[in-house]
Amino acid sequence: MGRHGWNSGAGRWRLTALLGVGVATLALVLTVISTLPNDRADDRGTTSAGDKVHGSPSDPSDPSAQLGPAVGWGFTHTQYSADEGDDGATRRVEDMLSGQGVPQIQHIMGWGAGNPEPVKGRYDFDEMDRRIDFIRKSGGTPVVTLCCSPDWMKGGKAGVDNTDWSRQSLETAPDRAHFKDFAALAATVAKRYPDVRHFIVWNEFKGFWNNGKQRWDYEGYTELYNLVYKALKKVDKDIMVGGPYLVMDSVDPRQTENASADVKGSWGSMDQRVLDAFDYWNKNKAGADFVVVDGSSYTVDDELLPDEFKATDKLTAVGKWVERQTRDLPLWWAEYYVEPGDQNDDRKGWSEPHRVAVQASGLVAMAQGGAGSGFYWNPEEKTGTTCAGCLWTPTQSGDGGTKLPMYDLISRFHKAFPPGTEYETVPVAADDVPNVRVLADDRTVVVVNTLNRKISAKVDGKRFEMGAYEVKWLERK
């Protein structure tokens, strides 16, 4: 099978009306069955034993494997990743990740995984198995996002050759009549990979937009969420489940329509419809072990206000608002974006030092907003020697799999500021306050130069030189 999905999860897809494809007639199905009585064409290559444990998972009852509801700072596998390619290149990435414990997200359908249940009760986890194997071999903490759904759950055709991989189809939610079927699929995934202890329910409310009311269908999402939550807890009460994975959209600060009067700043105002959807889920959820959001520092019109670094203050403001709503639930950012995409939703306009500096500012902002986990959407390319914003070079060639600057940032941040970190305020010289972003605990300080020129800064009692857009790490004694 080929790689399914696309590289970015930040596109503004949600207002499009999504129409299903008609199902095949009963007569045609009977004809196929009658001509191929022992090998139905639509389920060839599948198995009924989808819940059979795959591979050699770690023992979830082992105390050393027990994890809390926060997992730290990691990345999401997208359409192309290091599970395939030249053996030397893939091993290079595995070795790079080994021992880091970096959490890694994989979706169950799309973004590199095939249709997990092309026919009801018949499963194909080949590509998902390969991704989970890679996460295991690289020593990562596996996280599964339960999205998207097989075609037959959303008005399309069943069958291994009938999967519609168009963006419109993949971003269609299951029909309400199939919510229980999707929950059953989630339970099957949990049984197959018992070492996966963290599950996110759905992705960005895809397909849950109410055109008539011009708002999110938060009732529908919450109904699906609750069924999945209960199904997973029935498999194992210690499985940890989170949602709602809403896109925390913001609008221009001058806009009044749908603008929140309470959650706003120089970066803009939150879309009140998003806050309403979050509030409904929060009050009506069956339970949650952690809370998941997604979003960008820029507005829905791609405005970075008042500039790309100060715009990341939005991530702090959102985090603090969520914390007030959910009290003590750990906060995850399943996706976060600080660089607007082009017409193809690619982010290639900044230099790598500029990109890394703004990304570092975003990580600092999320941590200051109370987040203990965040996942970088890795924009991996299939081939080539360069890859803007990627964690490593493409693995199809023998010299691929070489780490890139963004990997150093994510892995260093994960190591320096693990879940449960207690942050401290360190002194910054008054003249330097506008030019740097700083995060510190009792052991480490990270300093980001927000200017495209050299500066001299004094932080935590130390003066030092910084290059343009440099990210500097200081060890405290």
Side-chain angles (χ1 to χ4, degrees):
M1 288 186 186
R3 288 286 139 200
H4 308 298
W6 48 88
N7 284 334
S8 176
R12 305 292 78 155
W13 51 270
R14 60 194 177 284
L15 299 182
T16 304
L18 300 175
L19 302 176
V21 179
V23 297
T25 64
L26 178 60
L28 178 59
V29 174
L30 292 176
T31 299
V32 173
I33 293 174
S34 64
T35 55
L36 295 169
N38 297 318
D39 184 18
R40 293 184 303 166
D42 62 354
D43 67 359
R44 67 190 185 281
T46 64
T47 177
S48 61
D51 59 357
K52 180 181 178 181
V53 174
H54 168 70
S56 302
S58 59
D59 182 359
S61 65
D62 182 353
S64 64
Q66 295 301 306
L67 297 168
V71 293
W73 308 91
F75 64 91
T76 295
H77 290 281
T78 52
Q79 187 172 359
Y80 305 110
S81 196
D83 59 310
E84 286 189 297
D86 178 85
D87 288 344
T90 57
R91 282 197 300 270
R92 195 170 292 120
V93 179
E94 290 173 9
D95 292 343
M96 180 175 68
L97 290 165
S98 180
Q100 303 299 311
V102 175
Q104 304 172 35
I105 288 179
Q106 176 58 46
H107 291 65
I108 64 170
M109 181 176 174
W111 297 281
N115 187 335
E117 192 179 2
V119 177
K120 185 173 182 178
R122 303 292 302 185
Y123 304 94
D124 181 356
F125 285 111
D126 285 353
E127 292 177 326
M128 183 74 179
D129 287 347
R130 186 162 58 241
R131 285 286 171 92
I132 294 296
D133 286 342
F134 176 83
I135 297 172
R136 289 171 177 169
K137 286 189 291 185
S138 62
T141 299
V143 177
V144 166
T145 295
L146 295 165
C147 182
C148 293
S149 67
D151 295 60
W152 60 270
M153 293 187 190
K154 54 195 178 190
K157 294 181 180 180
V160 295
D161 291 329
N162 293 326
T163 301
D164 182 352
W165 289 108
S166 69
R167 185 166 190 156
Q168 176 174 307
S169 176
L170 199 60
E171 293 185 339
T172 297
D175 296 338
R176 186 177 182 184
H178 289 294
F179 281 3
K180 290 183 179 179
D181 290 320
F182 187 79
L185 173 59
T188 298
V189 172
K191 293 174 183 177
R192 187 173 186 84
Y193 311 115
D195 49 340
V196 177
R197 313 304 292 164
H198 301 83
F199 289 85
I200 301 173
V201 181
W202 208 241
N203 173 305
E204 293 186 335
F205 265 48
K206 284 177 166 56
F208 286 100
W209 178 259
N210 187 317
N211 277 317
K213 297 182 178 179
Q214 285 294 293
R215 66 162 175 82
W216 292 107
D217 176 17
Y218 40 72
E219 300 94 339
Y221 170 80
T222 303
E223 181 179 349
L224 176 67
Y225 173 90
N226 286 343
L227 288 168
V228 172
Y229 177 89
K230 292 173 183 177
L232 291 174
K233 291 294 185 177
K234 188 174 181 180
V235 172
D236 185 341
K237 63 179 178 58
D238 292 327
I239 285 176
M240 284 165 273
V241 187
Y245 202 155
L246 271 163
V247 182
M248 307 303 282
D249 279 336
S250 56
V251 298
D252 187 285
R254 296 165 294 182
Q255 181 174 322
T256 57
E257 184 179 7
N258 300 317
S260 169
D262 300 320
V263 189
K264 58 185 180 179
S266 60
W267 45 266
S269 302
M270 281 297 300
D271 188 323
Q272 185 61 45
R273 296 171 298 181
V274 175
L275 303 185
D276 292 343
F278 187 97
D279 184 63
Y280 182 90
W281 169 84
N282 189 41
K283 291 178 178 176
N284 294 278
K285 64 185 183 299
D289 299 289
F290 53 93
V291 61
V292 186
V293 296
D294 162 349
S296 61
S297 59
Y298 43 88
T299 70
V300 293
D301 296 316
D302 291 345
E303 295 178 295
L304 289 162
L305 303 173
D307 60 56
E308 69 269 38
F309 287 96
K310 292 185 177 66
T312 62
D313 289 342
K314 170 188 170 179
L315 307 179
T316 301
V318 168
K320 290 182 177 179
W321 180 84
V322 170
E323 188 176 42
R324 291 195 296 271
Q325 312 312 307
T326 61
R327 306 291 180 177
D328 57 353
L329 279 181
L331 171 60
W332 291 26
W333 284 85
E335 300 175 42
Y336 54 93
Y337 300 91
V338 298
E339 179 182 1
D342 60 18
Q343 65 272 21
N344 298 317
D345 214 18
D346 291 325
R347 292 161 177 79
K348 301 178 179 180
W350 292 351
S351 69
E352 206 65 13
H354 187 189
R355 179 176 294 112
V356 170
V358 186
Q359 285 285 344
S361 181
L363 287 167
V364 168
M366 287 185 288
Q368 290 175 334
S373 304
F375 292 85
Y376 179 69
W377 193 270
N378 186 24
E380 188 68 16
E381 301 284 354
K382 184 178 181 179
T383 59
T385 57
T386 60
C387 193
C390 296
L391 300 179
W392 53 79
T393 56
T395 56
Q396 292 298 315
S397 62
D399 59 354
T402 302
K403 71 176 180 178
L404 294 171
M406 197 64 69
Y407 174 80
D408 282 333
L409 172 65
I410 301 299
S411 60
R412 185 78 182 261
F413 203 90
H414 173 71
K415 180 180 179 181
F417 305 118
T421 295
E422 295 185 7
Y423 296 103
E424 298 182 0
T425 300
V426 296
V428 179
D431 291 344
D432 297 321
V433 170
N435 303 330
V436 297
R437 293 269 161 153
V438 178
L439 185 70
D441 65 4
D442 61 345
R443 300 170 301 158
T444 306
V445 183
V446 61
V447 185
V448 182
N449 177 9
T450 66
L451 301 177
N452 188 21
R453 62 174 175 80
K454 293 181 179 180
I455 65 171
S456 174
K458 185 176 182 181
V459 177
D460 200 24
K462 302 175 183 177
R463 179 161 293 281
F464 46 85
E465 303 297 311
M466 297 188 74
Y469 294 137
E470 182 180 357
V471 178
K472 184 178 286 292
W473 297 84
L474 308 174
E475 298 301 320
R476 307 183 73 188
K477 294 182 180 180

